Amino acid sequence: MQIRFSTRTTVSSCALCAATVLALTSPVAAVGPTGGGPSAIVQPKATVPQPGVLDDEGTQVRLRSGAPQVPDVSALSWVVADAESGEVMAAHDAHRRLPPASTLKTLFALTVLPSFPGGIRHTVSATELTGIGEGSSRVGVVEGHTYQVADLWRGVFLNSGNDAVHVLAALNGGWEQTARLMEAKARSLGALDTTVVSPDGYDAVGQDSSAYDLAVFGRAGLRNPDFARYCSTAHAAFPGTGGAFQIANTNRLLTGADGVAPYPGLIGIKNGYTTNAGNTLVAAAHRGGRTLVVTVMNPQKGVAHAVYEEARALLDWGFGAAGHVDPVGSLDALRPVSHDMSTGAKPGTKSGATVVASAGAPQPAESNWVETGTIAGAVGLGTGVLLLGLRFRHKRASRV
């Protein structure tokens, strides 16, 4: 097996922090594309943060003594990160550009959701439902029917409805305008691998993202109470011409559908599938005071529901390895701005009180919700109680 080691020495703005330097003196092990635990451990020459290590091929992890081995995962690309600190615990080809399928809807929501209060009512026109890709997943939006914006978002998050995405994008200035805004949002978060052609995630030439970027989007989404509530909702009623009908979240780790055991503490976030992308998933879970976010892109084992089982294995590993590994990078490393992404405040400042929401209980209109940058976790058991938001530690670095 060929072993690759990073020789990059780009230093983040907190490189001189003694705690960070000490945390990065552990060896970096890189294994080949098949994943699994490290086959060799070599002390690196540098003892300073190396954000560029996530650009290297293979699995990147810094195991301390007694740390569990990384599970054997067949996905082409994956990431495990701490949602509060943004520290990447382990990754495999983190910046490999791949089709994202409907996980791209996380970026769509980050971009569009803040613009329209959920209580707004809108009557759908025929024009808004044109151009939906053949074979697209739909929630059942129909021309001439009036929906609340909140209904459309439930259609996006639960049923992955491309019809709901098209209507919301039309409200937001149109398909191409929304794609441009999504890319600008991605860049503002330091997600540099994402190119948006079709905002719903439908396969399109030139459209791609990465496990790193999707983890950035999922982590950022948890700070928005509306995003967090929608992505954690397992079942909901959707308006129809003959009355409301029930829809279910297609994330089987959340619902336990089709023989997939629900994951304890799962918060969401979004799954996807297309012929070109294969199965993709960005998920978050909370356990023991810690929230993790994982991304799994295109498992190669070919077994039923592999994307969920590989995400399960990575979450289990992450919770078991917490405190026994040193970070190999940060989800904040490539961010070009120094302001809090949800409040506009500078890093480290507090803004508001903890917001707690029960996903199964009636909620105030979205326009009445307040975002906060001071909440240190997220708790969810299916439709259980959620702590909506995360405190981020900002580490700036240039990508090499």
Side-chain angles (χ1 to χ4, degrees), residues 74 260 279 299-310:
S74 71
V260 176
N279 285 289
Q300 299 296 290
K301 284 186 176 179
V303 299
H305 309 313
V307 72
Y308 299 111
E309 298 311 323
E310 294 192 1

Side-chain angles (χ1 to χ4, degrees), residues 12 47 49 158 164 171 212 278 318 346 393:
S12 72
T47 57
L158 275 70
L171 290 173
Y212 179 93
K346 292 182 179 180
R393 302 169 190 168

Side-chain angles (χ1 to χ4, degrees), residues 97-98 100-101 103-108 111 165 169 174-187 191-209 213-214 217:
R97 298 188 178 192
L98 295 166
T103 52
L104 192 64
K105 289 182 171 76
T106 56
L107 177 59
F108 175 75
T111 305
V165 172
W175 202 243
E176 293 183 1
Q177 168 74 357
T178 298
R180 289 193 296 269
L181 291 173
M182 287 171 66
E183 288 193 349
K185 181 66 173 179
R187 302 299 178 265
L192 309 182
D193 303 322
T194 300
T195 301
V196 180
V197 179
S198 185
D200 54 7
Y202 192 83
D203 283 340
V205 176
Q207 178 160 278
D208 48 28
S209 188
D213 283 13
L214 292 174
F217 303 151

Side-chain angles (χ1 to χ4, degrees), residues 211-229:
Y212 179 93
D213 283 13
L214 292 174
V216 169
F217 303 151
R219 179 189 180 219
L222 294 181
R223 302 193 66 179
N224 183 307
D226 298 326
F227 183 112
R229 187 173 69 256

Side-chain angles (χ1 to χ4, degrees), residues 260-273:
V260 176
Y263 192 84
L266 194 81
I267 301 168
I269 296 172
K270 190 72 189 74
N271 59 309
Y273 173 81

